[in-house]
Amino acid sequence: MNILLWVVQSLLAAAFLTVGAMKIFRNRTALAATFGWVEQFSDLSVKAIGALDALVGFGLVLPGATDIAPTLVPWAALGGIALAGGGSVVHLRRSETQLAAVNVVYIALLALIVWGRFGP
């Protein structure tokens, strides 16, 4: 079970870090081509969401890998659930059901991490 959790954590961390870096470092025009919702948010909001994505990505692996406060891993997963939940709402409001479904998959995988790291 521990190996499964590490694999899921690593894959999700890579996804959150990649998307977070894109939101932080790309300009608004480049982001709008990939993320249509960017046009409805301020630059500061997009950068803040990117920073939160990156924090979730780091939080899913660093505490466990360094053995410094590994109890932060499920808390990072809970933060990821909040971000993905918010993303699902935005996508549903924009009638982007396929993108909302991707976020639901992220939520399920993050919930697995929360359960596995908090639970048994």
Side-chain angles (χ1 to χ4, degrees), residues 6 11 27 39 48 62 64 68 79 85 90 101:
W6 269 109
L11 292 173
N27 65 29
E39 297 168 352
L62 286 182
I68 298 173
V90 169

Side-chain angles (χ1 to χ4, degrees), residues 48-119:
I49 293 167
L52 291 172
D53 283 336
L55 284 174
V56 168
F58 286 126
L60 287 172
V61 292
L62 286 182
T66 61
D67 204 28
I68 298 173
T71 56
L72 293 177
V73 172
W75 290 104
L78 284 171
I81 289 171
L83 280 171
S88 292
V89 170
V90 169
H91 289 308
L92 289 173
R93 285 185 178 174
R94 294 175 47 86
S95 299
E96 300 168 340
T97 53
Q98 290 179 339
L99 294 174
V102 170
N103 280 338
V104 171
V105 171
Y106 285 157
I107 290 169
L109 293 172
L110 289 162
L112 172 69
I113 294 169
V114 171
W115 173 81
R117 296 299 182 203
F118 268 144

